[in-house]
Amino acid sequence: MPRRSSKLSDRSNRHDRAYRQAKTDGYAGRAIYKLQEIDQKYRLLRRGSRVLDLGCWPGSWMQYTVTRIGDEGYLLGIDLKEVEITLPPNVETIVGDVDDWEPPQDSPFDVVLSDMAPHTTGDRHTDQFRSEELVRRALAIAQRALRPGGHFVAKIFQGGEFPAILRELRGVFQEGRAYHAKNTRSSSIEQYLIGRGLKTRVTE
Ligand SMILES: C[S@@+](CC[C@H](N)C(=O)[O-])C[C@H]1O[C@@H](n2cnc3c(N)ncnc32)[C@H](O)[C@@H]1O
């Protein structure tokens, strides 16, 4: 009997329309269309913005972000894997684990993005649990890295902790919501959390 494919796995959908489109458009991955969709709806990225991208490899969100922030902006990406695409000089990348990284206290960001995803095991509950842990980590970083009024986007595989995390998001931002990107398969449990207007920056 054929093994049922996990809804979390992109493997069987690798050659879907967005994937082929990204290849044609010269983007590092199809995730770019999700950020584009979210940004067009919620207007998060602006010319001159300082942006932190957690889980930035292979770099398609960075490719989109630089078109929005322009030369005056600044983009810092961090990932376990090294980004190999060529990016403009106002972009820096760090190879590392966000668990071992502290944001700089002196120069806050306007937007924190997190497309971080765990290495999927195929076990839905494990993958959801790990994704929720990553989102909590991203939210903790955002509270320290963002200026008051700053914005946040984070991918989450919706599991049992989802309502609690949404409540936490709403406690931290003036406006917090979940968004199911159109560029995501309707069966997918992948959602994006959107936080607009950080209430208070956490400092030492
Ligand atoms: C779906 S990919 C991001 C795609 C990216 N937004 C793009 O558009 O190219 C998820 C990334 O999260 C990274 N990641 C997962 N856990 C991480 C961690 N603890 N620290 C840093 N990066 C992590 C993975 O290495 C992976 O490259």
Side-chain angles (χ1 to χ4, degrees):
M1 205 166 93
R3 201 172 147 265
R4 270 180 62 198
S5 68
S6 161
K7 284 177 182 172
L8 295 172
S9 170
D10 276 348
R11 251 165 284 163
S12 58
N13 289 291
R14 195 174 285 163
H15 296 292
D16 66 14
R17 206 157 55 100
Y19 175 86
R20 288 195 304 270
Q21 188 65 46
K23 279 222 139 204
T24 308
D25 293 344
Y27 295 133
R30 62 186 198 144
I32 189 167
Y33 303 114
K34 297 177 192 171
L35 179 61
Q36 182 180 47
E37 183 185 324
I38 290 166
D39 185 44
Q40 283 173 353
K41 190 169 171 65
Y42 295 106
R43 297 273 152 212
L44 304 171
L45 297 165
R46 291 179 193 285
R47 195 147 284 272
S49 290
R50 289 175 54 81
V51 182
L52 175 62
D53 184 2
L54 306 171
C56 62
W57 183 91
S60 78
W61 279 26
M62 298 209 290
Q63 288 175 309
Y64 175 76
T65 299
V66 292
T67 67
R68 300 284 296 129
I69 64 175
D71 296 343
E72 317 93 272
Y74 170 69
L75 171 60
L76 176 62
I78 176 165
D79 202 290
L80 299 168
K81 298 186 217 171
E82 186 169 357
V83 172
E84 285 170 1
I85 56 168
T86 305
L87 290 156
N90 58 333
V91 181
E92 288 184 290
T93 55
I94 297 173
V95 180
D97 189 323
V98 296
D99 279 334
D100 306 326
W101 184 76
E102 276 298 318
Q105 283 291 296
D106 49 344
S107 37
F109 291 88
D110 300 298
V111 181
V112 172
L113 307 172
S114 170
D115 199 24
M116 285 193 293
H119 209 76
T120 50
T121 62
D123 177 65
R124 190 182 172 111
H125 293 292
T126 306
D127 295 340
Q128 286 166 342
F129 175 74
R130 289 188 181 163
S131 167
E132 287 165 346
E133 280 189 323
L134 284 172
V135 169
R136 284 207 159 103
R137 177 67 185 144
L139 188 56
I141 290 175
Q143 288 179 77
R144 301 168 72 82
L146 282 174
R147 64 168 169 79
H151 307 314
F152 175 68
V153 176
K155 176 163 75 187
I156 184 165
F157 297 154
Q158 186 176 352
E161 281 294 292
F162 183 77
I165 293 174
L166 196 52
R167 272 197 304 278
E168 288 165 31
L169 180 80
R170 289 179 173 148
V172 170
F173 291 91
Q174 281 154 13
E175 188 188 317
R177 65 177 71 233
Y179 181 73
H180 189 94
K182 291 191 191 69
N183 252 305
T184 310
R185 291 178 305 283
S186 56
S187 61
S188 175
I189 56 168
E190 176 186 292
Q191 301 255 0
Y192 285 87
L193 296 178
I194 321 275
R196 284 202 294 190
L198 180 76
K199 290 180 185 168
T200 312
R201 183 164 183 230
V202 174
T203 51
E204 224 65 65

